[in-house]
Amino acid sequence: MPHTKKPRVATVSLAGCFGCHMSLLDLDERFLQLSDIVEFGRSPINDLRRFNERCRVGLIEGGCCNEENVQTLVEFRESCDLLIAVGECAIMGGIPAMRNTLPLADCLEEAYLDGRSVYNPSGRIPDDPELPLLLDRVYCAHDVVKIDYHLPGCPPQADTIWQALVAVLSDNPVNLPYELVKYD
Amino acid sequence: MTDSFTIRVDGRVIEARQGQTIMEATEQAGIYIPRLCDHPDLRAHGSCRICTVLANGRSVAACTQPVERDMEVKNRHPRVEAWRRQLIAMLFVEGNHFCPCCEKSGNCELQALGYLHGMTATQHPHLFPRRAVDGSHPDILLEHNRCVLCGRCVRASRDVDGKQVFQFAGRGLNRHITVNTEAQLDHPGLDLKDKAVSVCPVGAILKKHKHYGVPVGERKFDHDPIGSDVESHDQDKVT
């Protein structure tokens, strides 16, 4: 039997809530079908944290709120043939981007100094060098790298992710029916 | 009748009367032209330009342009639809439209227009303007972040409710809806039953205490694209 290598799919959650990954798991039994046709590359699904091989598709959940997100996203762009922005946060910043209407300093002061429920005897805003530096605002994925497809939703339905993945893996255009494209 | 004639819309011949706008004639014939500022119960405004069509080769707003004998209208034309998609995308980036946390989601006309035009992302950078929320009225919320300046509330309050609660202020990017009072929205004249409260196409004017009243899957635009109601009642007249 000729051995054909399965295409690899990498996934990541940047400034997201993992809801889009939950939606991926919501494929239920089709997830087994998916693992028949693809191999997972770098992804929280297999806990692989580095790219050891080039991937056919990268699924991006979340936008970029810190420098680590930017580095990861750039690495995905360099290591994947196609990038798919999955969900509102990757597409337009989503809920994290609600801070974009305020200066970053105001957000940090409210979260660590002035907020009503804050207990912070040190009176310092966390500044450990290990912590990724926050960006001035939250950027959507296509602000940072080229994105090939966008799957809206919060999260996109499992069917949306399934149909789009099947289409790109079989080199077909992604034509989703009306009911699978929603912004919420 | 001398004031009755025909026009062609995307190749289809329809009846029209002198004095009608393109929007009125097509609506009557069961042809949907996408629109945002226009509303059947209000005077046409011609400001959002979503209803742009090509009429005898010129781009015009269908809601204000009168029909002419033998007019050739292009509605579902790739060029026209590309313009509309751009306008919708610009409306999205100009305000703060966080669909996942908006009560209007699923019933929002801006969102539905995005769906209709196959918009999955905007290619323009989001402006993320800093805008206020006016929650001073006990029953009504005014959310400036989501306002698209269609002016429906201005016209409804002035022409239907006879109250002039809402009006425009400022120019260009600073243009916004304001409440006709020194105070805030807690305007003595504004009532839940006012037309101005129910015509907002987006989630800018919301009735409080309603929350997410309709479950996902049963909302207005969950299954049927915007305009389906206009098109459905006249399927058999296609020529």
Side-chain angles (χ1 to χ4, degrees):
Chain A
M1 203 176 133
H3 177 75
T4 47
K5 209 168 169 235
K6 291 182 195 173
R8 293 175 78 81
V9 174
T11 79
V12 69
S13 179
L14 303 171
C17 69
F18 267 94
C20 297
H21 275 77
M22 291 298 133
S23 204
L24 186 63
L25 298 182
D26 203 24
L27 285 172
D28 298 332
E29 65 268 36
R30 279 177 298 178
F31 200 83
L32 299 174
Q33 218 177 320
L34 183 65
S35 50
D36 279 344
I37 56 172
V38 304
E39 189 90 39
F40 278 100
R42 183 198 153 134
S43 170
I45 288 168
N46 53 11
D47 211 16
L48 192 61
R49 289 156 200 221
R50 284 194 168 69
F51 281 101
N52 45 16
E53 259 185 83
R54 189 163 181 81
C55 291
R56 174 91 177 96
V57 179
L59 299 179
I60 310 296
E61 169 186 340
C64 292
C65 74
N66 63 34
E67 56 174 358
E68 189 198 20
N69 293 155
V70 174
Q71 285 166 7
T72 309
L73 184 53
V74 169
E75 201 186 333
F76 262 71
R77 179 71 274 180
E78 287 166 351
S79 310
C80 302
D81 297 341
L82 287 173
L83 286 190
I84 305 180
V86 182
E88 284 298 296
C89 298
I91 288 172
M92 59 77 69
I95 304 299
M98 289 182 116
R99 79 158 158 97
N100 289 2
T101 60
L102 301 164
L104 176 59
D106 287 9
C107 298
L108 288 170
E109 281 164 16
E110 180 69 17
Y112 294 104
L113 304 177
D114 305 330
R116 281 191 176 193
S117 59
V118 170
Y119 175 73
N120 181 8
S122 75
R124 283 178 65 178
I125 291 171
D127 57 355
D128 192 290
E130 287 287 313
L131 294 173
L133 201 63
L134 286 179
L135 302 178
D136 62 333
R137 63 185 191 89
V138 177
Y139 294 85
C140 62
H142 70 261
D143 276 347
V144 179
V145 296
K146 181 187 183 320
I147 296 291
D148 301 286
Y149 296 98
H150 297 89
L151 300 180
C154 187
Q157 300 165 49
D159 281 332
T160 309
I161 300 176
W162 174 253
Q163 291 199 19
L165 256 185
V166 169
V168 298
L169 289 172
S170 47
D171 289 325
N172 285 320
V174 179
N175 286 324
L176 295 170
Y178 177 84
E179 290 178 352
L180 292 188
V181 179
K182 293 286 176 287
Y183 305 157
D184 63 0
Chain B
M1 271 171 67
T2 50
D3 64 347
S4 181
F5 48 79
T6 60
I7 64 171
R8 282 163 71 90
V9 183
D10 295 334
R12 185 181 150 190
V13 179
I14 66 165
E15 294 285 327
R17 283 193 321 278
Q18 191 72 42
Q20 275 186 320
T21 60
I22 298 174
M23 183 73 88
E24 286 163 347
T26 50
E27 190 94 352
Q28 194 180 292
I31 295 171
Y32 174 69
I33 296 180
R35 81 291 302 258
L36 201 52
C37 73
D38 193 52
H39 188 284
D41 301 338
L42 303 174
R43 202 187 299 172
H45 199 228
S47 65
C48 76
R49 316 310 282 191
I50 301 288
C51 71
T52 297
V53 292
L54 284 169
N56 292 339
R58 293 186 60 197
S59 60
V60 296
C63 69
T64 53
Q65 186 71 28
V67 285
E68 288 167 28
R69 187 178 296 275
D70 300 327
M71 192 181 240
E72 184 78 41
V73 177
K74 289 191 168 73
N75 174 36
R76 293 219 165 150
H77 185 275
R79 220 168 109 208
V80 173
E81 292 190 325
W83 289 335
R84 290 181 188 150
R85 199 175 301 119
Q86 285 288 329
L87 289 171
I88 295 158
M90 285 192 278
L91 287 171
F92 266 97
V93 302
E94 195 183 50
N96 294 313
H97 299 278
F98 295 97
C99 294
C101 57
C102 176
E103 286 175 43
K104 190 81 175 191
S105 193
N107 300 309
C108 169
E109 293 181 35
L110 178 64
Q111 193 185 54
L113 286 168
Y115 297 158
L116 184 71
H117 291 84
M119 194 186 90
T120 53
T122 61
Q123 63 272 60
H124 313 289
H126 283 258
L127 298 184
F128 296 113
R130 191 169 184 180
R131 294 193 193 156
V133 180
D134 182 348
S136 61
H137 194 285
D139 300 312
I140 299 154
L141 180 74
L142 178 56
E143 225 304 11
H144 290 286
N145 287 289
R146 301 169 186 155
C147 180
V148 290
L149 302 173
C150 67
R152 282 189 191 176
C153 57
V154 177
R155 283 171 285 151
S157 188
R158 184 192 59 208
D159 303 335
V160 182
D161 304 328
K163 290 183 179 175
Q164 300 203 24
V165 172
F166 298 102
Q167 58 198 253
F168 284 116
R171 297 262 174 236
L173 264 185
N174 295 318
R175 192 163 168 88
H176 59 280
I177 287 289
T178 185
V179 178
N180 187 17
T181 167
E182 288 299 305
Q184 291 176 305
L185 187 61
D186 193 7
H187 186 281
L190 188 62
D191 189 86
L192 259 184
K193 292 193 284 292
D194 285 355
K195 188 82 177 168
V197 177
S198 63
V199 289
C200 183
V202 292
I205 299 176
L206 287 174
K207 291 176 184 169
K208 288 187 182 174
H209 323 297
K210 296 280 179 194
H211 312 296
Y212 298 87
V214 182
V216 174
E218 295 175 23
R219 302 167 305 177
K220 196 170 178 191
F221 303 119
D222 281 342
H223 303 288
D224 302 317
I226 190 167
S228 307
D229 49 342
V230 176
E231 306 226 315
S232 61
H233 66 74
D234 208 298
Q235 287 298 318
D236 51 345
K237 280 198 188 163
V238 178
T239 49

